[in-house]
Amino acid sequence: MTALPIITRMHTETTNFKQTSRRILHLGLALMALTLLGACSTINTKVTSFSAWPADAAGSTFAFVRPANKADDLEQQTYEAYATTTLQSVGLVPVAQGQAPRMLVEVSSNFSTREKVFSEPIYVDQSFFVPGTRDVHGNFQPGYWVRPFGSGYVGERQVVRTINTSRIKLRLLDTKNAPAGQPKAVYESTAVYAGDNPDLPDLAPYLIRGALDGFPGKNGQVRVLNFDPETGQIIKR
């Protein structure tokens, strides 16, 4: 008669331990997912710059030029406003009303999508749980997880991902000593984002800052910049 309570307690404790183990496992997986999400939340841009910046161009005045079909385009004006702030941060000055600027600035943008197919490995967790037991003296031994073989590779699967590409290009043209209507390009920089975010307007401030990072820099420089979306700061070059 005394064995029944022991068996009942053993079953209850084993069940509770299994439930607790599952909760801990699920919590761990959730925390891992949040960690991975956080790690992927930076905004990465690839920047390619070409520079032939004149030695006497520090503090030059600038004004924007735009295609006739974008004369009243609000999106274009927004990007130019971002560029104005960034150009001022590197020492250039907006031209005064009625004055001729030394530098003409072109801002162009582009957005596209494409599908990329790639192989992804599949792994199966081969762990199993050994339930707790009670010895002949009534002492409970807790259960435990066993992973004798670790995660097993079982094959590959094809995954299709949509890649959204946002691109902004800045060109600075020097009018000094140039034939009328033929200013000379002295700085060109293109910043590109390729990833999940489909919204160019959200990415434009980062792309423009990236295009002018290290201005005027070295000719033919290619680099990847990582932005913190919370602060807007570059956290890695």
Side-chain angles (χ1 to χ4, degrees):
M1 298 296 293
T2 59
L4 290 178
I6 293 176
I7 294 174
T8 301
R9 287 198 303 273
M10 181 178 68
H11 175 73
T12 301
E13 292 175 4
T14 301
T15 301
N16 291 340
F17 189 84
K18 288 180 179 179
Q19 293 174 344
T20 301
S21 298
R22 290 194 190 99
R23 292 191 187 102
I24 293 173
L25 177 62
H26 291 162
L27 178 60
L29 292 174
L31 291 174
M32 184 183 297
L34 288 173
T35 300
L36 291 174
L37 181 60
C40 297
S41 63
T42 58
I43 297 174
N44 304 327
T45 65
K46 182 177 181 180
V47 181
T48 304
S49 302
F50 298 92
S51 179
W53 193 248
D56 65 344
S60 292
T61 58
F62 69 89
F64 293 96
V65 291
R66 65 179 70 130
N69 63 341
K70 290 194 174 184
D72 298 317
D73 189 290
L74 292 179
E75 180 181 6
Q76 178 71 19
Q77 293 175 26
T78 300
Y79 299 160
E80 290 176 1
Y82 295 150
T84 295
T85 300
T86 308
L87 287 166
Q88 288 179 288
S89 73
V90 297
L92 301 186
V93 182
V95 68
Q97 186 72 26
Q99 299 296 314
R102 173 168 177 179
M103 298 291 171
L104 299 178
V105 183
E106 297 177 350
V107 179
S108 58
S109 60
N110 175 266
F111 173 79
S112 62
T113 62
R114 63 185 175 89
E115 290 189 344
K116 181 179 180 180
V117 180
F118 60 94
S119 295
E120 181 178 83
I122 303 173
Y123 294 92
V124 175
D125 187 359
Q126 302 182 46
S127 63
F128 61 89
F129 183 77
V130 178
T133 59
R134 191 175 294 278
D135 61 24
V136 294
H137 302 292
N139 300 315
F140 181 73
Q141 304 298 323
Y144 53 91
W145 287 94
V146 176
R147 299 185 66 189
F149 307 109
S151 296
Y153 172 78
V154 296
E156 302 277 331
R157 65 178 175 181
Q158 297 295 305
V159 178
V160 179
R161 180 186 175 192
T162 299
I163 306 296
N164 301 293
T165 301
S166 294
R167 177 182 286 101
I168 283 185
K169 182 175 183 178
L170 271 70
R171 297 181 75 225
L172 275 68
L173 311 172
D174 191 0
T175 63
K176 184 178 180 180
N177 299 326
Q182 301 179 39
K184 179 183 178 181
V186 291
Y187 185 79
E188 296 182 357
S189 186
T190 303
V192 180
Y193 165 89
D196 297 325
N197 192 326
D199 300 315
L200 173 57
D202 287 343
L203 297 164
Y206 305 100
L207 296 174
I208 290 172
R209 283 191 57 199
L212 289 166
D213 177 65
F215 175 87
K218 299 178 181 179
N219 187 42
Q221 189 175 25
V222 180
R223 59 204 180 280
V224 176
L225 306 178
N226 297 339
F227 288 90
D228 183 337
E230 296 296 329
T231 64
Q233 300 300 310
I234 297 175
I235 56 179
K236 183 179 179 182
R237 284 181 172 85

